[in-house]
Amino acid sequence: MRVLLTGFEAFGGQPVNPSERVVHRLARHSLPGIELHTAILPVDHEQGPAALLDAVEHFRPDAVICLGEAGGRMRISIERVAINLLDDRIPDNAGRQLVDQPIVADGPAAYFCTLPVRRLAAAIQDVGVPVELSLSAGTFLCNQVTYTLLHYLSQQHATCRAGFIHLPFLPEQAVRVERPVASMSLETMTLGLTTALQALAQCS
Ligand code: PCA
């Protein structure tokens, strides 16, 4: 099974993004039954979605898992839906702040992620890593790339499964935040994602 795994570069004044770290860790593992391709996406409303679609067209994966940071979440969050809305609380890394705009004019209101989300969550939980299913990927880049990807795959009538997983802060990020905030170690996140990839390969 060919899997494309993506992360995002750092944003919002943080020095790192846990998703980029996890992608780099997983790129070094070899997992039975999986041909893994990776990409790091810019936090940029134009270049981020474009880089993801380029990688999909280049690698022709059977499944895509996009990763991103959701500082403040307590668990690995497997997203179930992407909505047709951009509404930024902060600017992207190119300084653009988009408010109340559709991602695709006249596109459907939402797409469901097509990964086997419950099976992935059960597998991650079984190895002792905190995980949850989430009904909101937000209205920033993570939601935008997911919606853009699901829209593209739907237009292409592609069988490729796709979805998004948000990660908590790393401990080194949480210590920089004044209020008490949850974090998860890179080792624990990597175990969770390795387990998710193995579960995905078993579903194919
Ligand atoms: N998280 C942001 C964008 C990049 C990232 O890692 C989000 O949740 O939209």
Side-chain angles (χ1 to χ4, degrees), residues 21-183:
R21 291 277 174 90
V22 168
V23 167
H24 286 148
R25 278 279 174 107
L26 281 167
R28 301 206 301 257
H29 289 208
S30 97
L31 296 171
I34 295 187
E35 183 186 327
L36 189 68
H37 298 274
T38 62
I40 302 301
L41 308 178
V43 179
D44 178 310
H45 283 301
E46 278 175 18
Q47 289 175 26
L52 176 58
L53 295 190
D54 278 355
V56 169
E57 282 172 4
H58 187 244
F59 297 128
R60 302 255 156 225
D62 303 303
V64 184
I65 300 182
C66 302
L67 304 178
E69 167 192 313
R73 295 223 186 155
M74 299 174 72
R75 295 164 176 252
I76 291 181
S77 293
I78 303 179
E79 302 297 347
R80 303 191 76 165
V81 25
I83 61 173
N84 191 12
L85 178 66
L86 293 165
D87 192 26
D88 298 347
R89 194 176 37 83
I90 56 169
D92 71 4
N93 284 355
R96 267 177 308 237
Q97 188 162 3
L98 304 178
V99 175
D100 290 346
Q101 289 190 29
I103 296 168
V104 176
D106 301 322
Y111 283 102
F112 286 112
C113 296
T114 51
L115 294 173
V117 292
R118 244 180 228 293
R119 290 225 212 155
L120 300 191
I124 295 172
Q125 171 121 357
D126 277 353
V127 294
V129 174
V131 62
E132 65 190 357
L133 295 180
S134 163
L135 288 172
S136 177
T139 52
F140 192 41
L141 253 298
C142 294
N143 176 67
Q144 184 188 7
V145 298
T146 312
Y147 185 94
T148 305
L149 174 62
L150 292 168
H151 184 67
Y152 168 86
L153 294 173
S154 150
Q155 302 281 97
Q156 303 277 318
H157 305 290
T159 53
C160 174
R161 292 179 137 182
F164 197 94
I165 301 181
H166 264 124
L167 303 172
F169 277 142
L170 291 163
E172 70 208 74
Q173 296 177 282
V175 294
R176 294 162 50 100
V177 180
E178 267 182 43
R179 67 195 152 86
V181 69
S183 64

